[in-house]
Amino acid sequence: MATPAIENLANFQNEVEITLIGSFASIEVLKNHQKVIKTVVLDKNYPSLVKISRELGSFDTFVSFRNSFRAKFLKLLISANNKHQFTKSKFTNRHQVEKYNDFVNDILGTNFPASKLELQAINSTFSTHNLKLGINPGASYGSAKRWYPDEFAQVAAELSEKYDIVIFGGLGEVDIANDIEKLLIEKGVTSYQNLAGKTTIPDLINQISSLDLFITGDSGPMHIAAAFKIPTVSIFGPTNHYETSQWMNKNSMIVKKNFECQPCMKRICPLKHHNCMKMVLASDVLRAVKNFN
């Protein structure tokens, strides 16, 4: 969601060279930008931040899109003529893409609009004679954002005559993906691939870019799909769809309930019932899919 802001920052002047500093996932997503000359993956221990900051040398400008204590500590260590850090409290009641873009406009003294999400992909090597449906049951934010394996499986089974199924997920989501796979087998579905825990991030981007339909929770892969305008049904529970739904994807449908406790923004349901996801049924998602037909 920071990519429109990064584009405005990178294109403000012609002679810009970018060193990307961040998590492994963020580096993998953004490392192919044409103005990136160096990437540095951070780990979580503070002594390594001191070492890395010394090795990086100095910069004209340092910009951090993170608001964590660790990011603030890194900002103190970095040698730069100008330093800027995103502050959550300053940018509110807008989509996260707009928040990041407003942050960059404040830095540059500009009024650039937030354009579409920017990602690079290579054509996927997975070929199929049918249309291709991706399902993404995981959500790294926490268990409260996760829909249920039996509901995902029911949706996939209902659509399996028209679509070949691809199950996505990271290493922490292999179990839920395997549960879905077992349920598909029980339902007699054979046209599927379970790629959970088996793809690199570039592989994931390539696979998602080739989908005909994507069904997902509020997650990073949801935003990858938005970058490629993939028809997507996004299931929202505890998080705020107003701030983190797909950006600039006209082929996007949101499925959510409207309980008073939504959005609680908690990683685990504080009321112990998880109704915001439990009450979303396969029939709700299938009804949303019909909007793309």
Side-chain angles (χ1 to χ4, degrees), residues 124-206:
S124 173
T125 57
F126 175 53
S127 61
T128 174
H129 296 296
N130 295 334
L131 297 174
K132 190 174 166 186
L133 162 66
I135 59 174
N136 178 58
S140 60
Y141 180 81
S143 63
K145 284 172 65 173
R146 291 184 178 178
W147 201 36
Y148 295 92
D150 54 336
E151 300 291 342
F152 270 112
Q154 186 175 336
V155 170
E158 289 284 341
L159 298 173
S160 61
E161 288 189 11
K162 183 177 180 180
Y163 296 90
D164 286 340
I165 314 299
V166 185
I167 307 169
F168 295 104
L171 290 172
E173 293 137 9
V174 170
D175 287 346
I176 189 172
N178 288 344
D179 288 342
I180 293 170
E181 180 179 8
K182 290 175 185 175
L183 290 164
L184 289 179
I185 292 170
E186 290 175 6
K187 294 174 184 292
V189 176
T190 58
S191 56
Y192 74 86
Q193 280 192 325
N194 183 355
L195 299 183
K198 300 174 184 176
T199 58
T200 64
I201 290 174
D203 289 339
L204 178 67
I205 293 171
N206 292 338

Coordinates of all heavy atoms in Angstrom, one line a residue, residues 124-206:
S124 N 3.5 -16.3 -15.1 CA 3.5 -17.6 -14.3 C 3.7 -18.8 -15.2 O 3.3 -18.8 -16.4 CB 2.1 -17.7 -13.6 OG 2.1 -18.9 -12.9
T125 N 4.4 -19.8 -14.6 CA 4.6 -21.0 -15.4 C 3.5 -22.0 -15.2 O 3.5 -23.1 -15.8 CB 6.0 -21.7 -14.9 OG1 5.8 -21.9 -13.5 CG2 7.1 -20.7 -15.2
F126 N 2.5 -21.7 -14.3 CA 1.4 -22.7 -14.1 C 0.4 -22.5 -15.2 O -0.3 -21.5 -15.2 CB 0.9 -22.5 -12.7 CG -0.4 -23.3 -12.4 CD1 -0.3 -24.7 -12.6 CD2 -1.5 -22.7 -12.0 CE1 -1.4 -25.5 -12.3 CE2 -2.6 -23.5 -11.7 CZ -2.6 -24.9 -11.9
S127 N 0.2 -23.5 -16.0 CA -0.8 -23.3 -17.1 C -2.0 -24.2 -16.8 O -1.9 -25.2 -16.1 CB -0.2 -23.7 -18.5 OG 0.2 -25.1 -18.4
T128 N -3.1 -23.8 -17.3 CA -4.4 -24.5 -17.0 C -5.3 -24.3 -18.2 O -5.3 -23.2 -18.8 CB -5.0 -24.1 -15.7 OG1 -6.3 -24.7 -15.6 CG2 -5.2 -22.6 -15.6
H129 N -6.2 -25.3 -18.5 CA -7.2 -25.1 -19.5 C -8.4 -24.4 -19.0 O -9.2 -23.9 -19.7 CB -7.5 -26.5 -20.1 CG -6.4 -27.2 -20.8 ND1 -5.8 -26.7 -21.9 CD2 -5.8 -28.3 -20.5 CE1 -4.8 -27.5 -22.3 NE2 -4.8 -28.5 -21.4
N130 N -8.6 -24.5 -17.7 CA -9.7 -23.8 -17.0 C -9.3 -22.5 -16.5 O -8.2 -22.1 -16.5 CB -10.3 -24.7 -15.9 CG -10.8 -26.0 -16.3 OD1 -11.3 -26.2 -17.5 ND2 -10.8 -27.0 -15.4
L131 N -10.4 -21.7 -16.1 CA -10.1 -20.5 -15.3 C -9.4 -20.9 -14.0 O -9.5 -22.0 -13.6 CB -11.4 -19.8 -15.1 CG -12.1 -19.3 -16.3 CD1 -13.5 -18.7 -15.9 CD2 -11.3 -18.3 -17.1
K132 N -8.8 -19.9 -13.4 CA -7.9 -20.2 -12.2 C -8.4 -19.4 -11.0 O -8.5 -18.1 -11.1 CB -6.5 -19.8 -12.6 CG -5.4 -20.2 -11.6 CD -4.1 -19.9 -12.2 CE -2.9 -20.0 -11.2 NZ -1.7 -19.5 -11.8
L133 N -8.8 -20.1 -10.0 CA -9.3 -19.5 -8.7 C -8.2 -19.7 -7.6 O -7.8 -20.8 -7.4 CB -10.6 -20.2 -8.3 CG -11.0 -20.0 -6.8 CD1 -11.3 -18.5 -6.6 CD2 -12.2 -20.8 -6.5
G134 N -7.8 -18.6 -7.0 CA -6.9 -18.6 -5.9 C -7.7 -18.4 -4.6 O -8.6 -17.5 -4.5
I135 N -7.4 -19.2 -3.6 CA -7.9 -18.9 -2.3 C -6.8 -18.8 -1.3 O -5.8 -19.5 -1.3 CB -8.9 -20.1 -1.8 CG1 -8.2 -21.4 -1.8 CG2 -10.1 -20.1 -2.7 CD1 -9.1 -22.5 -1.2
N136 N -7.0 -17.8 -0.4 CA -5.9 -17.4 0.5 C -6.5 -17.3 1.9 O -7.1 -16.3 2.3 CB -5.3 -16.0 0.1 CG -4.3 -15.6 1.1 OD1 -3.3 -16.3 1.3 ND2 -4.5 -14.4 1.7
P137 N -6.4 -18.4 2.7 CA -7.0 -18.5 4.0 C -6.3 -17.8 5.1 O -6.8 -17.7 6.2 CB -7.1 -20.0 4.3 CG -5.9 -20.6 3.6 CD -5.7 -19.7 2.3
G138 N -5.0 -17.5 4.9 CA -4.2 -16.9 6.0 C -4.3 -15.4 6.2 O -4.8 -14.7 5.3
A139 N -3.8 -15.0 7.3 CA -3.7 -13.5 7.6 C -2.7 -13.4 8.7 O -2.9 -13.8 9.8 CB -5.1 -13.0 8.0
S140 N -1.6 -12.7 8.4 CA -0.5 -12.7 9.3 C -0.8 -11.8 10.6 O -0.2 -12.0 11.6 CB 0.8 -12.1 8.7 OG 0.5 -10.8 8.1
Y141 N -1.8 -10.9 10.5 CA -2.2 -10.0 11.6 C -2.6 -10.8 12.8 O -2.3 -10.4 13.9 CB -3.3 -9.1 11.1 CG -3.7 -8.1 12.2 CD1 -3.0 -6.9 12.4 CD2 -4.9 -8.3 12.9 CE1 -3.4 -6.0 13.3 CE2 -5.3 -7.4 13.9 CZ -4.6 -6.2 14.1 OH -5.0 -5.3 15.0
G142 N -3.3 -11.9 12.6 CA -3.7 -12.7 13.8 C -4.9 -13.6 13.5 O -5.5 -13.5 12.4
S143 N -5.3 -14.5 14.4 CA -6.3 -15.4 14.1 C -7.7 -14.8 13.9 O -8.6 -15.4 13.3 CB -6.4 -16.4 15.3 OG -6.7 -15.8 16.5
A144 N -7.9 -13.6 14.5 CA -9.2 -13.0 14.4 C -9.6 -12.6 12.9 O -10.7 -12.5 12.6 CB -9.3 -11.7 15.2
K145 N -8.6 -12.5 12.1 CA -8.8 -12.2 10.7 C -9.1 -13.4 9.8 O -9.4 -13.2 8.6 CB -7.6 -11.4 10.1 CG -7.6 -9.9 10.6 CD -6.3 -9.3 10.1 CE -6.2 -9.1 8.6 NZ -5.0 -8.3 8.2
R146 N -8.9 -14.6 10.4 CA -9.0 -15.8 9.5 C -10.4 -16.3 9.4 O -11.1 -16.6 10.4 CB -8.1 -16.8 10.1 CG -6.6 -16.5 9.9 CD -5.7 -17.6 10.4 NE -4.3 -17.2 10.1 CZ -3.2 -17.9 10.5 NH1 -3.4 -19.1 11.1 NH2 -2.0 -17.5 10.2
W147 N -10.8 -16.6 8.2 CA -12.1 -17.3 7.9 C -11.8 -18.8 8.1 O -10.7 -19.2 8.3 CB -12.6 -17.0 6.5 CG -14.0 -17.2 6.3 CD1 -15.0 -17.0 7.2 CD2 -14.6 -17.6 5.1 NE1 -16.2 -17.2 6.6 CE2 -16.0 -17.7 5.3 CE3 -14.1 -18.0 3.8 CZ2 -16.9 -18.0 4.3 CZ3 -15.0 -18.3 2.8 CH2 -16.4 -18.4 3.0
Y148 N -12.8 -19.6 8.0 CA -12.7 -21.0 8.4 C -12.5 -22.0 7.2 O -13.0 -21.8 6.1 CB -14.0 -21.4 9.1 CG -14.1 -20.7 10.4 CD1 -14.9 -19.5 10.5 CD2 -13.5 -21.1 11.6 CE1 -15.0 -18.7 11.7 CE2 -13.6 -20.4 12.8 CZ -14.3 -19.2 12.8 OH -14.4 -18.5 14.0
P149 N -11.7 -23.0 7.4 CA -11.3 -23.9 6.4 C -12.5 -24.6 5.7 O -12.5 -24.7 4.4 CB -10.4 -25.0 7.1 CG -9.9 -24.3 8.3 CD -10.9 -23.4 8.7
D150 N -13.5 -25.0 6.5 CA -14.7 -25.7 5.8 C -15.5 -24.7 4.9 O -16.0 -25.1 3.9 CB -15.6 -26.3 6.9 CG -16.0 -25.3 8.0 OD1 -15.3 -24.3 8.2 OD2 -17.1 -25.5 8.6
E151 N -15.5 -23.4 5.3 CA -16.2 -22.5 4.4 C -15.4 -22.2 3.1 O -16.0 -22.1 2.1 CB -16.4 -21.2 5.2 CG -17.2 -21.3 6.5 CD -18.7 -21.6 6.2 OE1 -19.2 -21.4 5.1 OE2 -19.4 -22.1 7.1
F152 N -14.1 -22.0 3.3 CA -13.2 -21.9 2.1 C -13.4 -23.1 1.2 O -13.5 -23.0 -0.1 CB -11.8 -21.8 2.5 CG -11.3 -20.3 2.7 CD1 -11.0 -19.9 3.9 CD2 -11.2 -19.5 1.6 CE1 -10.5 -18.6 4.1 CE2 -10.8 -18.2 1.8 CZ -10.4 -17.7 3.0
A153 N -13.4 -24.3 1.8 CA -13.5 -25.5 1.0 C -14.8 -25.6 0.3 O -14.9 -26.1 -0.9 CB -13.3 -26.7 1.9
Q154 N -15.9 -25.2 1.0 CA -17.2 -25.3 0.3 C -17.3 -24.3 -0.9 O -17.8 -24.7 -1.9 CB -18.3 -24.9 1.4 CG -19.7 -25.1 0.8 CD -20.7 -24.8 1.9 OE1 -20.5 -24.9 3.1 NE2 -21.9 -24.4 1.5
V155 N -16.7 -23.1 -0.7 CA -16.7 -22.2 -1.8 C -15.9 -22.8 -3.0 O -16.3 -22.8 -4.2 CB -16.1 -20.9 -1.4 CG1 -15.8 -20.0 -2.6 CG2 -17.0 -20.1 -0.4
A156 N -14.7 -23.3 -2.7 CA -13.9 -23.9 -3.8 C -14.5 -25.0 -4.5 O -14.5 -25.2 -5.7 CB -12.5 -24.3 -3.2
A157 N -15.2 -25.9 -3.7 CA -15.8 -27.1 -4.3 C -17.0 -26.6 -5.2 O -17.2 -27.2 -6.3 CB -16.4 -28.0 -3.2
E158 N -17.7 -25.6 -4.8 CA -18.8 -25.1 -5.6 C -18.4 -24.6 -6.9 O -19.1 -24.6 -7.9 CB -19.6 -24.1 -4.8 CG -20.4 -24.6 -3.7 CD -21.7 -25.3 -4.1 OE1 -22.2 -25.0 -5.2 OE2 -22.3 -26.0 -3.3
L159 N -17.2 -24.0 -6.9 CA -16.6 -23.3 -8.1 C -15.7 -24.2 -8.9 O -15.2 -23.8 -9.9 CB -15.9 -22.1 -7.7 CG -16.8 -21.0 -7.0 CD1 -15.9 -19.8 -6.5 CD2 -17.8 -20.5 -8.0
S160 N -15.4 -25.5 -8.4 CA -14.4 -26.3 -9.0 C -14.7 -26.8 -10.4 O -13.8 -27.2 -11.2 CB -14.1 -27.5 -8.1 OG -15.3 -28.3 -8.0
E161 N -16.0 -26.8 -10.8 CA -16.3 -27.2 -12.2 C -15.8 -26.2 -13.2 O -15.5 -26.5 -14.3 CB -17.8 -27.5 -12.4 CG -18.2 -28.8 -11.7 CD -19.7 -29.1 -12.0 OE1 -20.2 -28.5 -12.9 OE2 -20.2 -30.0 -11.4
K162 N -15.8 -24.9 -12.8 CA -15.5 -23.8 -13.7 C -14.0 -23.4 -13.5 O -13.4 -22.9 -14.5 CB -16.4 -22.6 -13.4 CG -16.1 -21.4 -14.3 CD -17.1 -20.3 -14.0 CE -16.9 -19.1 -14.9 NZ -17.8 -18.0 -14.6
Y163 N -13.5 -23.6 -12.3 CA -12.1 -23.1 -12.0 C -11.2 -24.2 -11.5 O -11.6 -25.1 -10.8 CB -12.1 -22.0 -10.9 CG -12.9 -20.8 -11.2 CD1 -14.2 -20.6 -10.9 CD2 -12.2 -19.7 -11.8 CE1 -14.9 -19.5 -11.2 CE2 -12.9 -18.5 -12.0 CZ -14.2 -18.4 -11.8 OH -14.9 -17.2 -12.0
D164 N -9.9 -24.1 -11.9 CA -8.9 -24.9 -11.2 C -8.5 -24.1 -9.9 O -8.4 -22.9 -10.0 CB -7.7 -25.1 -12.1 CG -7.9 -26.1 -13.2 OD1 -8.8 -26.9 -13.0 OD2 -7.2 -26.1 -14.2
I165 N -8.3 -24.8 -8.8 CA -8.1 -24.2 -7.5 C -6.6 -24.1 -7.2 O -5.9 -25.1 -7.3 CB -8.9 -24.9 -6.4 CG1 -10.3 -25.3 -6.8 CG2 -8.8 -24.2 -5.1 CD1 -11.2 -24.1 -7.2
V166 N -6.2 -23.0 -6.7 CA -4.8 -22.8 -6.1 C -5.0 -22.3 -4.7 O -5.6 -21.3 -4.5 CB -4.0 -21.9 -7.0 CG1 -2.5 -21.8 -6.4 CG2 -4.0 -22.2 -8.4
I167 N -4.4 -23.1 -3.7 CA -4.4 -22.7 -2.3 C -3.1 -22.0 -2.0 O -2.0 -22.6 -2.2 CB -4.6 -23.9 -1.4 CG1 -5.9 -24.7 -1.8 CG2 -4.7 -23.4 0.0 CD1 -6.0 -26.0 -1.1
F168 N -3.2 -20.8 -1.5 CA -2.0 -20.0 -1.1 C -1.8 -20.0 0.4 O -2.8 -20.2 1.1 CB -2.1 -18.6 -1.7 CG -2.1 -18.5 -3.2 CD1 -3.2 -18.2 -3.9 CD2 -0.9 -18.7 -3.9 CE1 -3.2 -18.1 -5.2 CE2 -0.9 -18.6 -5.3 CZ -2.1 -18.3 -6.0
G169 N -0.6 -19.6 0.8 CA -0.4 -19.4 2.2 C 1.1 -19.5 2.5 O 1.9 -20.1 1.8
G170 N 1.5 -18.8 3.6 CA 2.9 -18.8 4.0 C 3.2 -20.0 4.9 O 2.4 -20.9 5.1
L171 N 4.4 -20.0 5.4 CA 4.8 -21.1 6.3 C 3.9 -21.3 7.5 O 3.7 -22.4 8.0 CB 6.3 -21.0 6.7 CG 7.3 -21.1 5.6 CD1 8.7 -20.8 6.1 CD2 7.3 -22.6 5.0
G172 N 3.4 -20.2 8.0 CA 2.6 -20.2 9.2 C 1.1 -20.6 8.9 O 0.3 -20.7 9.8
E173 N 0.8 -20.8 7.6 CA -0.6 -21.1 7.2 C -0.7 -22.5 6.5 O -1.7 -22.8 5.9 CB -1.0 -20.0 6.3 CG -1.2 -18.7 7.0 CD -0.7 -17.5 6.2 OE1 -0.3 -17.6 5.0 OE2 -0.6 -16.4 6.8
V174 N 0.4 -23.3 6.6 CA 0.4 -24.6 6.0 C -0.7 -25.5 6.6 O -1.4 -26.2 5.8 CB 1.7 -25.3 6.1 CG1 1.7 -26.8 5.7 CG2 2.8 -24.5 5.3
D175 N -0.9 -25.4 7.9 CA -1.9 -26.3 8.5 C -3.4 -26.0 8.0 O -4.1 -26.9 7.7 CB -1.9 -26.1 10.1 CG -0.7 -26.8 10.7 OD1 0.0 -27.6 10.0 OD2 -0.4 -26.5 11.8
I176 N -3.7 -24.7 8.0 CA -5.1 -24.4 7.5 C -5.2 -24.7 6.0 O -6.3 -25.2 5.6 CB -5.4 -22.9 7.8 CG1 -6.9 -22.6 7.5 CG2 -4.5 -21.9 7.0 CD1 -7.3 -21.2 8.0
A177 N -4.2 -24.5 5.3 CA -4.2 -24.9 3.8 C -4.4 -26.4 3.7 O -5.1 -26.9 2.8 CB -3.0 -24.4 3.1
N178 N -3.7 -27.2 4.5 CA -3.8 -28.6 4.4 C -5.2 -29.1 4.8 O -5.8 -30.1 4.3 CB -2.8 -29.3 5.3 CG -1.4 -29.2 4.8 OD1 -1.2 -28.9 3.6 ND2 -0.4 -29.4 5.6
D179 N -5.8 -28.4 5.8 CA -7.2 -28.7 6.2 C -8.1 -28.5 5.0 O -9.1 -29.3 4.8 CB -7.6 -27.8 7.4 CG -7.0 -28.2 8.7 OD1 -6.4 -29.3 8.8 OD2 -7.0 -27.4 9.6
I180 N -7.9 -27.4 4.3 CA -8.8 -27.1 3.1 C -8.6 -28.2 2.1 O -9.5 -28.7 1.5 CB -8.5 -25.7 2.5 CG1 -8.9 -24.7 3.5 CG2 -9.2 -25.5 1.2 CD1 -8.4 -23.3 3.2
E181 N -7.3 -28.6 1.8 CA -7.0 -29.6 0.9 C -7.7 -31.0 1.2 O -8.3 -31.6 0.4 CB -5.5 -29.9 0.8 CG -5.1 -31.0 -0.2 CD -3.6 -31.2 -0.3 OE1 -2.9 -30.6 0.5 OE2 -3.2 -31.9 -1.2
K182 N -7.7 -31.3 2.5 CA -8.3 -32.6 2.9 C -9.8 -32.5 2.6 O -10.5 -33.5 2.2 CB -8.1 -32.8 4.4 CG -6.6 -33.2 4.7 CD -6.4 -33.3 6.2 CE -5.0 -33.6 6.6 NZ -4.7 -33.5 8.0
L183 N -10.4 -31.4 2.9 CA -11.9 -31.2 2.7 C -12.2 -31.3 1.2 O -13.2 -31.8 0.8 CB -12.3 -29.9 3.3 CG -12.3 -29.8 4.8 CD1 -12.4 -28.4 5.3 CD2 -13.5 -30.7 5.4
L184 N -11.3 -30.7 0.4 CA -11.5 -30.8 -1.1 C -11.5 -32.2 -1.6 O -12.3 -32.6 -2.4 CB -10.5 -29.9 -1.8 CG -10.7 -28.4 -1.7 CD1 -9.5 -27.7 -2.4 CD2 -12.0 -27.9 -2.2
I185 N -10.5 -32.9 -1.1 CA -10.4 -34.4 -1.4 C -11.7 -35.1 -1.0 O -12.2 -35.9 -1.8 CB -9.2 -35.0 -0.8 CG1 -7.9 -34.4 -1.4 CG2 -9.2 -36.5 -1.0 CD1 -6.6 -34.8 -0.6
E186 N -12.2 -34.8 0.2 CA -13.4 -35.5 0.6 C -14.6 -35.1 -0.3 O -15.5 -36.0 -0.4 CB -13.7 -35.0 2.1 CG -12.8 -35.6 3.1 CD -13.1 -35.1 4.5 OE1 -14.1 -34.3 4.7 OE2 -12.3 -35.3 5.4
K187 N -14.6 -34.0 -0.8 CA -15.7 -33.5 -1.7 C -15.4 -34.0 -3.2 O -16.2 -33.6 -4.0 CB -15.8 -32.0 -1.7 CG -16.2 -31.5 -0.3 CD -16.2 -29.9 -0.3 CE -16.6 -29.4 1.1 NZ -18.0 -29.7 1.5
G188 N -14.4 -34.7 -3.4 CA -14.1 -35.2 -4.7 C -13.5 -34.2 -5.7 O -13.4 -34.5 -6.9
V189 N -12.9 -33.1 -5.2 CA -12.3 -32.1 -6.0 C -10.8 -32.6 -6.3 O -10.1 -32.9 -5.4 CB -12.3 -30.7 -5.4 CG1 -11.5 -29.7 -6.2 CG2 -13.7 -30.3 -5.1
T190 N -10.5 -32.6 -7.6 CA -9.1 -33.1 -7.9 C -8.3 -32.0 -8.6 O -7.1 -32.0 -8.7 CB -9.2 -34.3 -8.9 OG1 -9.9 -34.0 -10.0 CG2 -9.8 -35.5 -8.2
S191 N -9.0 -31.0 -9.2 CA -8.3 -29.9 -9.9 C -7.8 -28.8 -9.0 O -8.4 -27.7 -9.1 CB -9.3 -29.3 -11.0 OG -10.5 -28.9 -10.4
Y192 N -6.8 -29.1 -8.2 CA -6.3 -28.1 -7.3 C -4.8 -28.2 -7.1 O -4.3 -29.3 -7.4 CB -7.0 -28.2 -5.9 CG -6.6 -29.4 -5.1 CD1 -5.4 -29.3 -4.3 CD2 -7.2 -30.6 -5.2 CE1 -5.0 -30.4 -3.6 CE2 -6.7 -31.7 -4.5 CZ -5.6 -31.6 -3.7 OH -5.2 -32.7 -3.0
Q193 N -4.2 -27.2 -6.6 CA -2.8 -27.2 -6.2 C -2.8 -26.6 -4.8 O -3.4 -25.5 -4.6 CB -1.9 -26.4 -7.1 CG -1.5 -27.0 -8.4 CD -0.4 -26.2 -9.1 OE1 -0.4 -25.0 -9.0 NE2 0.5 -26.9 -9.7
N194 N -2.0 -27.1 -3.9 CA -1.8 -26.6 -2.6 C -0.4 -26.0 -2.6 O 0.6 -26.8 -2.5 CB -2.0 -27.6 -1.5 CG -1.8 -27.0 -0.1 OD1 -1.5 -25.8 0.1 ND2 -2.1 -27.8 0.9
L195 N -0.2 -24.7 -2.7 CA 1.1 -24.1 -2.7 C 1.5 -23.4 -1.4 O 2.5 -22.7 -1.3 CB 1.1 -23.0 -3.8 CG 0.8 -23.5 -5.3 CD1 1.0 -22.3 -6.2 CD2 1.8 -24.6 -5.7
A196 N 0.7 -23.7 -0.4 CA 1.0 -23.1 0.9 C 2.4 -23.5 1.4 O 2.7 -24.7 1.5 CB 0.0 -23.4 2.0
G197 N 3.2 -22.5 1.7 CA 4.6 -22.8 2.2 C 5.6 -23.2 1.2 O 6.7 -23.5 1.5
K198 N 5.2 -23.1 -0.1 CA 6.0 -23.6 -1.2 C 6.4 -22.6 -2.2 O 7.1 -22.9 -3.2 CB 5.3 -24.7 -2.0 CG 4.9 -25.9 -1.1 CD 4.0 -26.9 -1.9 CE 3.6 -28.1 -1.0 NZ 2.6 -29.0 -1.7
T199 N 6.0 -21.3 -2.0 CA 6.3 -20.3 -3.0 C 7.2 -19.2 -2.3 O 7.1 -18.9 -1.2 CB 5.0 -19.6 -3.5 OG1 4.4 -19.0 -2.3 CG2 4.1 -20.5 -4.2
T200 N 8.1 -18.7 -3.2 CA 8.8 -17.5 -2.8 C 7.9 -16.3 -3.0 O 6.8 -16.5 -3.6 CB 10.1 -17.3 -3.6 OG1 9.7 -17.1 -5.0 CG2 11.0 -18.5 -3.6
I201 N 8.2 -15.1 -2.5 CA 7.4 -14.0 -2.7 C 7.2 -13.6 -4.2 O 6.1 -13.3 -4.6 CB 7.8 -12.8 -1.8 CG1 7.5 -13.2 -0.3 CG2 7.1 -11.5 -2.2 CD1 8.0 -12.2 0.7
P202 N 8.3 -13.6 -4.9 CA 8.2 -13.4 -6.4 C 7.3 -14.4 -7.0 O 6.5 -14.1 -7.9 CB 9.6 -13.5 -6.9 CG 10.5 -13.0 -5.8 CD 9.8 -13.6 -4.6
D203 N 7.4 -15.7 -6.6 CA 6.5 -16.7 -7.1 C 5.0 -16.4 -6.8 O 4.1 -16.6 -7.7 CB 6.8 -18.1 -6.5 CG 8.1 -18.7 -7.1 OD1 8.6 -18.3 -8.1 OD2 8.7 -19.6 -6.4
L204 N 4.8 -16.0 -5.6 CA 3.5 -15.6 -5.1 C 2.9 -14.5 -6.0 O 1.7 -14.6 -6.4 CB 3.5 -15.2 -3.7 CG 2.1 -14.8 -3.1 CD1 1.2 -16.0 -3.0 CD2 2.3 -14.2 -1.7
I205 N 3.7 -13.5 -6.2 CA 3.2 -12.4 -7.1 C 2.9 -12.8 -8.5 O 1.9 -12.5 -9.0 CB 4.3 -11.3 -7.1 CG1 4.5 -10.6 -5.7 CG2 4.0 -10.2 -8.2 CD1 5.7 -9.7 -5.6
N206 N 3.7 -13.7 -9.0 CA 3.5 -14.2 -10.4 C 2.2 -15.0 -10.4 O 1.4 -14.9 -11.4 CB 4.7 -15.1 -10.9 CG 5.9 -14.2 -11.1 OD1 5.8 -13.0 -11.3 ND2 7.1 -14.9 -11.0

